[in-house]
Amino acid sequence: MSCFDNFNTDFYQSSYSVDDQNQAGYAYGNTEEPYNKPYGQYDYSQPMGYTAPGMMQPQQPYTGQIFQPAQTYSPSPSQSMYSSSFDDEPPLLEELGINFDHIWQKTLTVLHPMKVADGSIMNETDLAGPMVFCLAFGATLLLSGKIQFGYVYGISAIGCLGMYCLLNLMSMTGVSFGCVASVLGYCLLPMILLSSFGVVFSLQGMMGIIITAAIIGWCSFSASKIFISALAMDGQQLLVAYPCALLYGVFALISVF
């Protein structure tokens, strides 16, 4: 036992004393540091002058309104360009070349042979009205028991091609195939009246021959008037009206027989 007591007194011998806790070890006893003041004596109104490394800085206060955040996104120039281009686009019917006002003016010009044609409107390539009139002509023929849709479209295509070649030889400015097809198709409107008469009564008598001749003259005169005004072919209306009369005469033969 004496050996163990001797060993216990010799183990962990150092010069450390309990009184040393009041001294400034690691500078904690410095009275100038505000963090070493006793509880109740620290002035919490003063801001902290030290921030430990790695700690987050305080965020800026939110100055916006609830449910109304500040605008932080601005559209790119390409997006603004696309949005403005969509607003400036013309309507779909205008892009397709369908103008109901011009269709109505062309129809009135055909129905009124003595009316002066507007060359700027008549020179347009508008095929919406001619397609409708060709379908109406075939439908009226169908009501009288004549299925002639193939002949109507076939003769129309051949007649437009022939008039296109003839007018390019006669005029100085030239004309497009679409313009020729548009004018000849609009001037087919009186022929629809003739085929409608054929549904009610027969056109093979004397009265039918007179009505047929009048309708042929009406169609050819309207077509030649429009071609003259659109192509500035003054004094050549009779030369243009003759081939037009031949073309509409074929349609009249389909209606009568």
Side-chain angles (χ1 to χ4, degrees):
M1 267 322 265
S2 61
C3 295
F4 179 77
D5 293 336
N6 189 16
F7 175 77
N8 190 16
T9 55
D10 295 336
F11 192 70
Y12 291 115
Q13 292 183 3
S14 63
S15 60
Y16 177 77
S17 177
V18 180
D19 297 333
D20 295 336
Q21 293 181 358
N22 296 325
Q23 297 180 2
Y26 298 98
Y28 289 122
N30 190 3
T31 57
E32 295 180 359
E33 291 291 336
Y35 303 101
N36 292 328
K37 292 182 179 182
Y39 178 75
Q41 298 182 5
Y42 177 72
D43 189 5
Y44 291 96
S45 63
Q46 296 180 0
M48 296 176 62
Y50 173 76
T51 302
M55 294 183 62
M56 296 178 59
Q57 296 290 336
Q59 297 182 357
Q60 296 294 331
Y62 179 71
T63 58
Q65 298 181 0
I66 300 177
F67 300 115
Q68 295 181 0
Q71 181 69 26
T72 58
Y73 171 75
S74 58
S76 60
S78 60
Q79 292 179 350
S80 60
M81 178 184 65
Y82 290 144
S83 61
S84 62
S85 63
F86 289 150
D87 296 336
D88 297 337
E89 284 188 355
L92 180 60
L93 292 178
E94 186 175 349
E95 290 184 352
L96 296 176
I98 300 175
N99 193 329
F100 290 105
D101 185 34
H102 290 180
I103 291 175
W104 178 247
Q105 291 183 14
K106 292 179 182 179
T107 304
L108 291 179
T109 303
V110 174
L111 294 177
H112 196 305
M114 300 303 173
K115 182 181 179 181
V116 179
D118 188 359
S120 60
I121 297 178
M122 297 303 169
N123 204 14
E124 296 178 354
T125 304
D126 176 22
L127 297 179
M131 293 295 293
V132 173
F133 292 158
C134 286
L135 286 174
F137 181 61
T140 52
L141 291 177
L142 185 61
L143 292 177
S144 59
K146 302 174 183 178
I147 305 175
Q148 305 291 348
F149 286 98
Y151 287 102
V152 170
Y153 286 107
I155 294 172
S156 300
I158 296 174
C160 290
L161 182 61
M163 287 298 299
Y164 169 72
C165 297
L166 182 63
L167 290 175
N168 279 318
L169 293 175
M170 294 177 63
S171 63
M172 299 296 296
T173 58
V175 64
S176 63
F177 182 81
C179 179
V180 174
S182 177
V183 173
L184 293 178
Y186 274 104
C187 294
L188 191 65
L189 179 59
M191 199 62 61
I192 299 175
L193 299 177
L194 179 63
S195 61
S196 300
F197 292 154
V199 177
V200 180
F201 56 88
S202 177
L203 297 175
Q204 297 182 5
M206 182 59 64
M207 183 62 65
I209 294 175
I210 295 175
I211 294 176
T212 302
I215 292 296
I216 293 174
W218 187 358
C219 293
S220 60
F221 182 79
S222 298
S224 61
K225 177 188 64 175
I226 295 174
F227 282 131
I228 293 302
S229 61
L231 302 177
M233 299 171 59
D234 297 334
Q236 303 182 29
Q237 185 172 358
L238 293 178
L239 295 177
V240 178
Y242 176 70
C244 293
L246 295 178
L247 175 61
Y248 292 114
V250 178
F251 289 115
L253 291 176
I254 296 176
S255 301
V256 173
F257 300 102

